[in-house]
């Protein structure tokens, strides 16, 4: 089976050009002054969950080789908000990026390196030549092995320079909250805030400012312990345990501990923290180790309803959590693999509820629905303010508000049915009110329901609160000029309704009085599409290649079946006359329709590899060595324009 690998000539790395630099003490950096270092360019955008995964994959190798390795983040924005230099600076601080970052809002350096996906990694040797390009996540072991080999090679040649790189740490920030994510009203009247930037939970007095206590040491980590010693890593969603379950479970709040890929239980009496779901390692789509202790062939995908023990299951960036009385379980927005899961912590089971793990906007029964970075889960209410059993989902990467109707699954009914209330897809966003089928959001992360059954959306990248009224089908704006609102609480007292907004980028909670009519303003800030240059292709045959080379010391892993897979589709579907579908080769012969002027090719590739096992003197593999397994994966959405004389080949390196 070919992996599409080609032998390429040595290519000089292009200069790093952009609007400016962060984390360099105000200096501009050139490739010439990085000569003698191994350089890794990380093309990222701060909305992208896969990019955030890569930041974590790179932390260990970055610390281990800080004298020989320079990582440069090249920030190439997807959304309009991400092109704001202040928003980028906040994101670099929020995600603790400890290397130089080039601000590339015009995608100049992105284009020079022919990047076509977030994230993309480019490795440059100490002599300034490109030696590898990778797309997607799961390349941490490959980067580590390649960096080690390059250091040894160039140390022997005398072309390696050891010493400090260009990174200059920013001044430390102070304050009670640092990039708060979600908030929860506690039974005692206080507020519990997921203080993501401080890797802890902050309990505040009802005024939303006075710190009562902190749960968590403030150090990034995964440690179950008492309040002051426990560790979190960028916690987000918070959910009260129902009264009838608290005595049985022994904790009062469930926390979506996002970067730890875990759910944590918090006992409010003493602040004790315990892990209740997740192994602390990331679920990789198609990976063979997603369930701990599983023997034999791995599960390449989870079918909806297949239950596993919560502490045996790898999670993937859980972002929010809510209780569903219909399902008798906690529903988790699993942003990292674009799904919803249900976790029954009393019975000890977890199962996929909705989503295929493909990224996009597709409605219907849960087992066939597509999401994109599920980030907010809000129980819905009817027009009388009574819970109706459904859920609102803030689906951030599709800039959409989705509705999930739940059932108990009796008589063969689907457990979940998904429909889109507001939103157009992965590439369309904006700030536009009016009829829901024409309204636009920009990367929403949370929300809340109002007493009249309407829903307030924390429209994060628009800096606004939006209201969707199911009765009228209209979207309006309740508040604007907020700093990345990521969650909302509804407060009703003495007949008045206020919204408590988590202003994440302003590091505070802000109260907003609702308009007396609840209707809000009707605004139109325009529509936008993701601005990436289209690839010109010719009508007719188009050869798609996805090169993949295992890392040094690894080989393709075909113990459980084919080691690679490739899925291809198009928007509109008519763009492809043939070549759509699934296969195991990392190449495909497509046929482009001459009657379709432009569209998007959707390509998903995966490749499994494992460490090579050392041989005994008799030539047999050492039975005491168990090879570590690795999975590289990426989804591309490649805009294409069909023109005479366009390319007849399209290469998307997974690792090449």
């Amino acid at each position: 089976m070919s992996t599409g690998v080609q032998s390429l000539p040595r290519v000089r790395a292009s200069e790093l050009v952009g609007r400016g630099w962060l984390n360099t003490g105000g200096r501009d950096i050139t490739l010439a002054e990085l000569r003698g270092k191994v350089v890794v360019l990380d093309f990222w955008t701060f909305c992208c969950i896969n990019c955030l995964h890569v930041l974590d994959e790179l932390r260990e190798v970055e610390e281990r080789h800080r004298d020989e390795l320079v990582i440069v983040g090249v920030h190439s924005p997807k959304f309009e908000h991400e092109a704001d230099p202040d928003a980028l600076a906040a994101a670099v601080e929020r995600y603790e990026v400890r290397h130089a970052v080039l601000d590339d809002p015009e995608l100049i350096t992105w284009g020079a390196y022919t990047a076509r996906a977030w994230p993309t990694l480019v490795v440059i040797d100490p002599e300034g030549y490109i030696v590898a390009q990778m797309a997607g996540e799961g390349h941490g072991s490959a980067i580590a092995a390649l960096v080690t080999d390059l250091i040894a090679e160039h140390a022997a040649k005398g072309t390696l320079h050891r010493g400090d790189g260009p990174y200059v740490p920013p001044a430390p920030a102070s304050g009670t909250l640092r990039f708060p994510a979600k908030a929860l009203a506690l039974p005692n009247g206080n507020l519990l805030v997921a203080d993501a930037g401080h890797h802890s939970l902050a309990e505040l007095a009802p005024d939303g400012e006075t710190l009562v206590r902190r749960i968590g040491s403030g150090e990034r980590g995964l440690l179950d312990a008492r309040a002051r010693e426990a560790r979190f890593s960028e916690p987000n969603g918070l959910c009260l345990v129902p009264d009838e379950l608290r005595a049985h479970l022994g904790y009062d709040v469930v926390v979506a501990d996002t970067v730890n890929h875990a759910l944590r239980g918090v006992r409010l009496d003493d602040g004790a923290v315990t892990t209740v779901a997740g192994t602390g390692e990331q679920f990789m789509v198609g990976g063979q180790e997603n369930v701990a202790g599983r023997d034999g062939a791995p599960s390449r995908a989870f079918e909806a309803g297949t239950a596993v023990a919560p502490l045996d299951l790898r999670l993937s960036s859980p972002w929010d959590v809510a209780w569903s009385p219909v399902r008798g379980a906690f529903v988790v927005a699993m942003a990292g693999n674009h799904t919803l899961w249900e976790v029954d912590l009393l019975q000890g089971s977890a199962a996929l509820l909705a989503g295929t793990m493909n990224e996009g906007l597709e409605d219907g029964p849960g087992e066939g629905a597509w999401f994109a970075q599920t980030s907010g889960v809000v129980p819905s209410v009817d027009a009388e303010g009574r819970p109706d059993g459904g859920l609102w989902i803030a689906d951030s990467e599709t800039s959409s508000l989705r509705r999930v109707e739940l059932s108990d699954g009796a008589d063969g009914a689907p457990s979940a049915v998904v429909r889109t209330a507001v939103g157009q897809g992965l590439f369309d966003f904006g700030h536009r009110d009016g009829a829901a089928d024409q309204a636009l959001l920009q990367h929403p992360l949370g929300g809340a329901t109002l007493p009249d059954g309407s829903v307030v959306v924390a429209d994060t990248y628009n800096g606004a609160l939006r209201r969707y009224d199911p009765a009228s089908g209209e979207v309006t704006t309740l508040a604007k000029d907020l700093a990345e609102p990521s969650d909302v609480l509804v407060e009703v007292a003495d007949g008045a309704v206020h919204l408590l907004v988590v202003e994440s980028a302003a590091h505070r909670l802000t109260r907003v009085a609702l308009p007396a009519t609840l209707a809000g303003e009707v605004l139109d800030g325009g529509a936008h599409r993701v601005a990436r240059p289209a690839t010109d292709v010719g009508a007719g045959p188009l050869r798609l290649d996805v090169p993949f080379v295992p890392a040094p010391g690894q080989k393709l892993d075909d113990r459980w079946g084919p080691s690679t897979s490739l899925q291809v589709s198009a928007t509109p579907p008519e763009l492809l006359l043939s070549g759509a579908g699934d296969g195991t080769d990392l190449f495909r012969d497509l046929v482009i329709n001459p009657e379709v002027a432009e569209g998007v090719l959707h390509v998903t590739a995966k490749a499994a590899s494992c460490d090579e096992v050392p041989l005994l003197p008799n030539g047999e593999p050492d039975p005491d060595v168990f090879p570590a397994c690795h999975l590289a994966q990426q989804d591309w959405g490649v805009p294409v324009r069909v023109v005479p004389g366009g390319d007849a080949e399209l290469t998307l390196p997974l690792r090449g």
Side-chain angles (χ1 to χ4, degrees):
M1 178 188 65
S2 168
T3 57
V5 176
Q6 304 175 37
S7 178
L8 299 175
R10 297 187 80 195
V11 177
R12 278 278 184 193
S14 297
E15 192 51 79
L16 305 177
V17 180
R19 177 167 57 188
W21 288 83
L22 295 88
N23 283 354
T24 64
R27 294 176 53 243
D28 289 348
I29 305 301
T30 65
L31 277 179
E33 64 188 274
L34 300 181
R35 197 66 51 83
K37 301 281 193 182
V38 180
V39 178
V40 175
L41 304 182
D42 175 16
F43 289 87
W44 70 300
T45 187
F46 64 77
C47 71
C48 166
I49 193 67
N50 311 92
C51 299
L52 303 185
H53 290 165
V54 168
L55 283 176
D56 288 308
E57 288 178 4
L58 294 176
R59 290 186 200 278
E60 184 177 347
V61 68
E62 184 173 27
E63 287 303 316
R64 189 188 317 143
H65 296 295
R66 199 168 275 281
D67 283 347
E68 305 95 355
L69 169 67
V70 172
I71 295 178
V72 175
V74 181
H75 188 266
S76 307
K78 172 184 176 180
F79 287 102
E80 180 185 36
H81 175 71
E82 294 174 298
D84 182 330
D86 293 334
L88 173 57
V92 169
E93 179 187 353
R94 178 196 303 260
Y95 297 118
E96 298 179 2
V97 179
R98 292 178 178 154
H99 50 249
V101 174
L102 173 66
D103 183 7
D104 183 29
E106 302 299 326
L107 306 188
I108 295 171
T109 299
W110 164 282
Y113 284 87
T114 64
R116 288 194 173 94
W118 295 281
T120 291
L121 298 166
V122 177
V123 182
I124 302 169
D125 72 15
E127 296 179 280
Y129 290 97
I130 295 174
V131 296
Q133 183 167 339
M134 313 170 190
E137 57 183 297
H139 299 294
S141 65
I143 290 287
L146 186 53
V147 167
T148 298
D149 282 3
L150 287 170
I151 289 172
E153 175 190 343
H154 288 272
K157 290 174 64 176
T159 50
L160 183 71
H161 168 68
R162 288 184 167 90
D164 292 339
Y167 172 65
V168 176
S174 62
T176 302
L177 300 177
R178 184 169 180 264
F179 300 107
K182 306 279 186 180
L184 178 68
L186 295 177
N188 65 1
N190 287 344
L191 301 165
L192 190 66
V193 180
D195 195 6
H198 284 136
H199 308 296
S200 63
L201 309 180
E203 184 173 346
L204 305 181
D207 62 10
E209 297 180 2
T210 304
L211 181 65
V212 176
R213 64 170 168 169
R214 189 171 293 280
I215 300 174
S217 69
E219 295 183 58
R220 183 192 292 270
L222 177 59
L223 178 65
D224 291 345
R226 296 176 298 176
R228 293 185 179 181
E229 289 80 32
R231 293 186 182 184
F232 298 88
S233 188
E234 298 179 32
N236 275 273
L238 304 168
C239 179
L240 278 175
V241 175
D243 292 344
E244 64 272 18
L245 295 185
R246 291 179 192 171
H248 298 285
L249 295 179
Y251 45 86
D252 307 283
V253 176
V254 175
V255 181
D257 195 7
T258 303
V259 179
N260 276 328
H261 310 294
L263 299 182
R264 317 290 294 281
V266 176
R267 190 169 58 219
L268 291 174
D269 283 349
D270 59 2
V273 178
T274 185
T275 300
V276 299
T279 67
E281 296 180 278
Q282 183 190 342
F283 184 112
M284 297 296 288
V285 180
Q288 56 263 57
E289 295 177 342
N290 287 323
V291 179
R294 175 169 296 207
D295 296 323
S299 176
R300 293 287 178 181
F302 281 79
E303 297 181 358
T306 302
V308 297
L311 287 170
D312 289 344
L313 176 67
R314 292 186 177 190
L315 309 184
S316 185
S317 297
W319 209 276
D320 202 6
V321 58
W323 171 253
S324 168
V326 175
R327 299 298 300 170
F330 294 93
V331 175
V332 181
M334 206 75 73
N337 57 25
H338 319 299
T339 54
L340 298 175
W341 287 70
E342 58 181 356
V343 181
D344 185 337
L345 293 171
L346 186 62
Q347 299 299 321
S349 65
L352 178 63
L353 177 63
T356 64
M357 304 190 194
N358 292 318
E359 186 177 21
L361 188 75
E362 294 285 343
D363 291 343
E367 62 266 22
W370 290 27
F371 297 94
Q373 288 183 213
T374 44
S375 299
V377 186
V378 180
S380 61
V381 299
D382 63 19
E384 304 301 320
R386 298 175 300 231
D388 62 11
L391 298 171
W392 295 107
I393 307 298
D395 200 30
S396 61
E397 277 295 282
T398 54
S399 297
S400 65
L401 176 67
R402 319 283 293 276
R403 169 80 179 184
V404 180
E405 302 290 349
L406 299 175
S407 77
D408 60 10
D411 301 322
S415 300
V417 177
V418 182
R419 66 173 178 83
T420 299
V422 183
Q424 306 296 324
L426 280 168
F427 306 106
D428 296 276
F429 62 93
H431 189 151
R432 173 176 288 169
D433 290 332
D437 61 354
Q438 298 297 312
L440 294 170
L441 309 170
Q442 186 179 183
H443 200 80
L445 290 178
T449 48
L450 290 166
D452 66 351
S454 62
V455 58
V456 179
V457 179
D459 192 8
T460 308
Y461 285 3
N462 278 327
L465 299 182
R466 314 285 294 283
R467 174 178 179 256
Y468 168 64
D469 182 7
S472 66
E474 295 289 312
V475 175
T476 55
T477 297
L478 298 177
K480 56 186 179 179
D481 300 323
L482 299 167
E484 293 192 11
S486 57
D487 198 19
V488 188
L489 294 181
V490 175
E491 300 178 324
V492 180
D494 300 325
V497 178
H498 287 79
L499 302 179
L500 184 67
V501 185
V502 180
E503 276 196 279
S504 188
H507 317 294
R508 68 190 179 199
L509 305 184
T510 302
R511 280 188 168 85
V512 175
L514 281 181
T517 63
L518 274 189
E521 295 182 82
V522 178
L523 302 177
D524 189 350
H528 304 276
R529 286 187 61 82
V530 174
R532 286 180 292 162
T535 298
D536 289 342
V537 299
L542 176 69
R543 175 74 169 199
L544 172 66
D545 265 325
V546 182
F548 178 83
V549 179
Q554 298 176 12
K555 62 180 181 179
L556 289 171
D557 184 5
D558 56 5
R559 291 174 297 164
W560 316 113
S563 58
T564 58
S565 68
L566 184 67
Q567 298 174 304
V568 181
S569 61
T571 303
E574 296 77 21
L575 176 67
L576 285 178
L577 293 177
S578 69
D582 300 349
T584 58
D585 289 325
L586 292 182
F587 59 87
R588 188 76 58 84
D589 289 314
L590 313 177
V591 178
I592 301 296
N593 189 345
E595 302 300 321
V596 178
E598 61 183 8
V600 177
L601 287 175
H602 304 284
V603 179
T604 298
K606 303 185 185 81
S609 57
C610 64
D611 294 344
E612 294 179 335
V613 177
L615 301 179
L616 297 173
N618 63 5
E620 295 293 323
D622 187 337
D624 295 325
V625 176
F626 298 93
C629 301
H630 314 280
L631 185 72
Q633 61 183 47
Q634 174 60 19
D635 296 319
W636 287 270
V638 182
V640 297
R641 184 170 51 221
V642 183
V643 298
D647 292 341
E649 296 182 1
L650 176 61
T651 301
L652 303 174
L654 182 59
R655 183 190 298 159

